Amino acid sequence: MSALAPASASPAPAPPGSPPDTLAPGGRVDALTGLRFLAALAVFAHHFTGLGGPESGVARVPAFFPYTTMGVHGVGFFFVLSGFLLAWGYRPGTSARLFYWRRAGRIWPAHLAASLLALVLLFWWGGRATDVFSVLASVLLVQTWFPGVTPTLPGNSVAWTLSVELFFYALFPLLVRAALALRTRTLLSVCAGSLAVMAAVNLWLLTHLSGGAAEWVMRHPLARLPEFGLGLVAALALRRGLRPALRAWPVVVALAAYTVAYTRRAEWAGEWAVVLEATVRPVVAVLAVGLVVACVVRATGGSARGEGWLASPVMVRLGLWSYAFYLLHQTINYAITDRWGHQSAGGVAFFTMIGTAVVATALAGALYHGLEEPARRWWAACPPRWVTGGGDPRRIRALFLPHRSGGPS
């Protein structure tokens, strides 16, 4: 979830392992913006169809269920992409204060608007239980940092991922500078080790803690840090000149096959199903980074075919709206169930899902053009002196205003 730094060309390849601070930031890759919308759509499909129970989701759509349950791991794609884009567009020498200022203007305006809508519709009119502490935690985006909030995902429930992202943002200036000092091979080894530890910890949690406690730990920012780090390392590796011969379609096929195996784990794997559950986040992270790298390799390889349909104007536009879409969709789902109850499974549910997605997309477009982008530009145009450090305001604004992104990071 981060702005793609605009540039007229990709960085020139450098010998593997050379320090990336000798390279220009990576060029814009529109296919990643389009890909972001597909990830947000997968999360929407999961939330709409739920887990298939009578009180889960809006309605079960037999044509897609249970495969839509894999959509919950679309947030893992966002974490990987966030680390990638922040490192891909990183300009050595950028102060941490400037970075934090830019992130605040990027995520908070739309987040506050979506949170207000959720609080009014779901907690004031809808009567859901909460408390002042939990509401403040959700508004400040620290709700996943500690237990005890009410409900488990307070305020705008999907904003828990922004709470994780905020933790990543706090660490990014330190992480990227540390990564710059290490060789690519070392960074890749650290990533592999951290993903293995992530899987091992998840397995222990699932076999030793209650479901709610295990989920809280696995949702904690520290537990999701390997996904962000994988994206960061992949970006630095590409900036250093690494160009693997990777295409997107094998990754898509692998993702589809893994989705079938994961969603059928109970009947196919038996007592080993818990292993699939414990390893799903690391596996999705690897597949996500594979898709991202394949898109970048194609975009920077001078292919006559260009970036493909993901970079089409329609997909780029939807990608720009995807952050707002993500923030709004679950509130709309909840509003439907509060007003009309959970819908019956069947063919009608399919058309209800399509209609809900269309409404959410239209509202997302309105939020993006009416608030998110104007607020970001306003915020970028007037950084205070303590942020700029007395630097040239025109140069500082140039770091903010060019923008091509569809998510909060």
Side-chain angles (χ1 to χ4, degrees):
M1 303 180 186
S2 172
L4 286 164
S8 59
S10 60
S18 64
D21 57 337
T22 63
L23 303 176
R28 194 176 76 199
V29 182
D30 285 336
L32 296 182
T33 307
L35 191 60
R36 191 193 305 270
F37 178 74
L38 297 185
L41 197 63
V43 177
F44 161 79
H46 162 68
H47 284 149
F48 186 93
T49 59
L51 299 176
E55 299 299 322
S56 178
V58 177
R60 180 171 172 174
V61 181
F64 300 130
F65 189 88
Y67 307 113
T68 49
T69 59
M70 188 67 171
V72 68
H73 300 295
V75 298
F77 171 85
F78 289 140
F79 297 151
V80 170
L81 186 60
S82 176
F84 182 91
L85 293 178
L86 290 177
W88 184 247
Y90 174 70
R91 301 170 187 267
T94 300
S95 71
R97 289 173 298 177
L98 182 59
F99 172 78
Y100 295 145
W101 179 264
R102 181 176 184 174
R103 292 298 91 200
R106 180 70 185 93
I107 67 172
W108 248 291
H111 158 63
L112 292 177
S115 294
L116 179 61
L117 178 65
L119 290 171
V120 171
L121 288 181
L122 307 180
F123 295 90
W124 184 27
W125 289 346
R128 283 173 166 79
T130 190
D131 54 58
V132 174
F133 172 78
S134 300
V135 169
L136 288 177
S138 69
V139 171
L140 297 176
L141 296 178
V142 294
Q143 65 267 45
T144 61
W145 296 18
F146 42 77
V149 292
T150 303
T152 305
L153 302 177
N156 184 12
S157 60
V158 298
W160 75 266
T161 62
L162 301 186
S163 177
V164 175
E165 290 280 1
L166 190 67
F167 185 84
F168 295 161
Y169 296 162
L171 293 182
F172 177 75
L174 297 175
L175 290 177
V176 73
R177 288 167 187 166
L180 292 176
L182 299 176
R183 296 181 63 84
T184 302
R185 181 177 300 177
T186 302
L187 292 173
L188 293 175
S189 298
V190 170
C191 281
S194 65
L195 291 174
V197 170
M198 182 184 190
V201 170
N202 288 349
L203 181 61
W204 187 91
L205 293 170
L206 291 169
T207 54
H208 289 79
L209 298 184
S210 66
E215 281 298 320
W216 179 81
V217 176
M218 290 190 289
R219 203 181 286 124
H220 193 276
L222 280 174
R224 307 310 294 256
L225 190 58
E227 296 160 289
F228 180 81
L230 179 61
L232 185 155
V233 168
L236 294 184
L238 291 177
R239 286 180 61 167
R240 290 172 172 178
L242 183 66
R243 287 296 184 273
L246 183 62
R247 299 180 66 180
W249 70 264
V251 183
V252 173
V253 171
L255 176 60
Y258 183 78
T259 297
V260 173
Y262 174 75
T263 55
R264 299 290 182 182
R265 63 192 180 281
E267 55 190 285
W268 289 3
E271 62 182 12
W272 292 97
V274 67
V275 176
L276 278 174
E277 183 63 33
T279 55
V280 61
R281 291 170 178 84
V283 170
V284 169
V286 171
L287 293 172
V289 84
L291 280 175
V292 170
V293 169
C295 287
V296 173
V297 168
R298 178 170 177 173
T300 59
S303 172
R305 298 176 300 164
E307 296 183 49
W309 65 275
L310 284 174
S312 66
V314 171
M315 289 304 300
V316 170
R317 177 62 59 185
L318 290 173
L320 292 174
W321 296 354
S322 63
Y323 175 42
F325 177 90
Y326 176 79
L327 289 176
L328 295 173
H329 79 274
Q330 186 67 330
T331 298
I332 297 172
N333 286 339
Y334 281 144
I336 292 173
T337 56
D338 284 354
R339 177 63 178 83
W340 293 287
H342 297 274
Q343 308 299 299
S344 301
V348 174
F350 170 78
F351 294 102
T352 304
M353 183 171 73
I354 297 299
T356 304
V358 170
V359 170
T361 302
L363 292 176
L367 179 58
Y368 174 81
H369 292 290
L371 175 65
E372 180 188 342
E373 182 63 3
R376 187 193 65 80
R377 288 180 172 271
W378 174 83
W379 187 267
C382 53
R385 180 169 291 274
W386 64 266
V387 170
T388 63
D392 182 357
R394 292 173 298 178
R395 186 185 68 83
I396 298 298
R397 284 196 293 269
L399 297 177
F400 287 95
L401 296 178
H403 178 67
R404 177 75 79 192
S405 174
S409 32

